Every structure is written in C-alpha cells, then in structure tokens.
Amino acid sequence: KHYGSRPNFAVSTNLSGLFGEKPGTIKLSSGGQDVSGYIQGDLAIGEGQFLHGTQGSPTEGIIVQYDKELGNRVVYIKDEQGRVIGQKLVRETNEELVGKDVEGYVHITQRSVVYQVGANRNQTISFSLDNLRTRQIARGVENKSEFNSLADLDLTSSTGAQDSIKLIDKAIQDIGVLRGNLGSFQRNSLESNLRNLRISSENLTNAESIIRDSDMAAEMSDFTKNQILIASGTAMAAQANQIPKSVLQLIGSVTQ
C-alpha cells in the first residue's frame, strides 16, 4: 500500500460517456493526504503515513509513523419512533479517524552514549544501542499465530513452529543490522579519530623535540661565549699584573 499525496494512477476506458464524451479519455486519480504534525514542538514534514524531523532541527533523523487506516463503522437505522430496525456500514472519514485537533502525542527520549573523541570542548560523537530484549526484536512480522516479538514464540503447533521460524529469521536480521552499525561506528568513528589523535600526538612530540633541541643549541652557544669571556678576562688580568714588574725593572736598570 502507498499513502499520501505522491502515489497516483490513471484510468482509461474504450467506452464513451464514462470518463468523457470520447472513448480513450484518461482520468487521473486525486492525490491522497499526508499526515501532518509536530515532533518535540518543531513542525515536521509529512509524507504519507510518516512524519520526518526537519533538517537542521534537533529532531532531524527522527521518523514517526501514523499507522491508522480508514475503516467502516456501524450505523443503526431507526424508524420514526426511534426504534432500531436495521444497521449499515459507513466508511469512516479522515476527520473521524484523526480528529479535528490533536490525535495524540509522541514522546521521544534520546538514550545515546556520548564519547569524547578530542581534546577540545564539544568534540564528541554519540551512538545508541538498540534494545535487544526478546520482546523488542523480531517485531512487525506478519504471521498467523499473532506473535508480536521473539518472546511470544510457541512451537507446540505446526503453524506456530512455521511462524516462529519467520520471527527467528527477523531476529537474526535485526542483530546483523546492529552488528553492522556497531562495526561501522567502530571503524569510521572511533578508529578514525584514534588515528587522528595519534598523528596529532606525534606532531606535538616532534614540535616539542624541535623546541627542546633549539634551546640546547642556544644554551651551548651561551656557555661557549661565557668561557671565551672568562679566558679573555684572565689573560687581561695577567697582563695587568706584569706592568708594575716591568716598570720596576726599568727603574732599577736606570739607577745602575
């Protein structure tokens, strides 16, 4: 089944007067109605039975399905005295099904696990694990035994055993999808961020080593300069001490 304003079809006939004056006239179907509503206070986009969270809003990625369908209701036929003399089936209308204002509310809780994957604030990623309890997997499988989940399996009858196989296959499929999501999250998110962090750590280590080596060269240069200054100062002091002795020797030689 397809619902909403998008699905359409065309009908034609070779009989005149049915859809038009000439045979072969094509009659297009009228578009259906898309469900409308809000998710967590934000206007959602309706497409058939599904409400989609608006892109860029906190509800982006959320899909809510409204699965009620039009049915028939019983209308009692009464005579002039108000006595019931019969009944008939009348097709429900959208107004009767949905109501004039609000049909109901959907409460959604975010139960994702948040991982810190960087050194800075808000460098986080989130991942949510599906509920794998037996009452939550293998749901939505059509079966004659009216099993709603894996917890309802009953193998005491042939029909129940056949329907149980359907639900077990669906449970295996659900677990396989979850394992695929876990593997994708590990490879594309965790391991990718781990590689980036390792590269950043190596770059920081190299930068720190370069800075440390530069400081060592500067210290060695200062040490050598100070050694030269000390040696020069010592030589100058030795020469200064020799001057008085030379003067005395000159005076002594003159007096003789």
Side-chain angles (χ1 to χ4, degrees), residues 15-253:
L15 300 177
S16 60
L18 186 59
F19 293 145
E21 296 180 357
K22 298 180 180 180
T25 302
I26 298 176
K27 182 70 173 180
L28 296 176
S29 64
S30 300
Q33 183 177 359
D34 296 321
V35 66
S36 61
Y38 295 81
I39 300 178
Q40 200 174 348
D42 294 329
L43 181 63
I45 300 173
E47 184 177 345
Q49 290 182 304
F50 297 92
L51 276 178
H52 299 263
T54 307
Q55 185 176 4
S57 70
T59 61
E60 181 180 358
I62 296 176
I63 302 176
V64 178
Q65 182 181 10
Y66 187 86
D67 58 0
K68 283 191 175 181
E69 298 183 20
L70 292 176
N72 297 320
R73 60 184 179 88
V74 177
V75 175
Y76 294 100
I77 303 173
K78 299 180 181 180
D79 59 13
E80 296 179 354
Q81 286 74 32
R83 294 174 297 183
V84 177
I85 58 175
Q87 63 182 24
K88 63 179 179 179
L89 294 177
V90 178
R91 187 70 170 172
E92 290 179 327
T93 64
N94 286 321
E95 289 74 16
E96 293 173 333
L97 179 66
V98 179
K100 295 181 179 180
D101 298 318
V102 178
E103 169 67 10
Y105 297 91
V106 177
H107 300 278
I108 299 174
T109 303
Q110 177 62 270
R111 304 182 66 178
S112 300
V113 179
V114 180
Y115 297 87
Q116 181 74 31
V117 294
N120 301 321
R121 183 172 176 269
N122 294 329
Q123 285 186 321
T124 60
I125 53 177
S126 59
F127 182 78
S128 59
L129 293 174
D130 294 337
N131 191 340
L132 292 181
R133 292 184 175 90
T134 54
R135 291 199 174 278
Q136 298 298 327
I137 59 175
R139 298 176 64 88
V141 179
E142 294 185 2
N143 59 89
K144 297 179 181 179
S145 304
E146 297 184 354
F147 296 152
N148 295 320
S149 65
L150 201 64
D152 300 330
L153 299 188
D154 184 3
L155 306 179
T156 57
S157 65
S158 175
T159 302
Q162 294 298 321
D163 291 336
S164 297
I165 293 175
K166 293 181 181 179
L167 268 72
I168 292 173
D169 290 340
K170 181 63 166 57
I172 294 173
Q173 180 182 352
D174 292 343
I175 294 174
V177 170
L178 177 60
R179 292 181 63 186
N181 293 336
L182 281 171
S184 176
F185 176 73
Q186 176 184 350
R187 184 174 183 83
N188 298 330
S189 297
L190 296 182
E191 292 183 359
S192 175
N193 280 280
L194 180 60
R195 287 193 296 269
N196 293 335
L197 289 174
R198 284 175 176 171
I199 293 173
S200 299
S201 177
E202 292 176 0
N203 292 337
L204 286 174
T205 302
N206 292 335
E208 190 268 344
S209 177
I210 292 172
I211 295 172
R212 184 186 298 274
D213 293 342
S214 299
D215 291 344
M216 182 61 69
E219 291 295 331
M220 289 299 297
S221 177
D222 291 339
F223 176 77
T224 304
K225 180 184 70 174
N226 292 332
Q227 290 293 327
I228 294 173
L229 291 175
I230 292 172
S232 300
T234 302
M236 293 298 294
Q239 291 180 4
N241 291 332
Q242 292 296 326
I243 292 175
K245 294 180 179 180
S246 299
V247 173
L248 291 175
Q249 290 177 357
L250 289 173
I251 294 173
S253 61

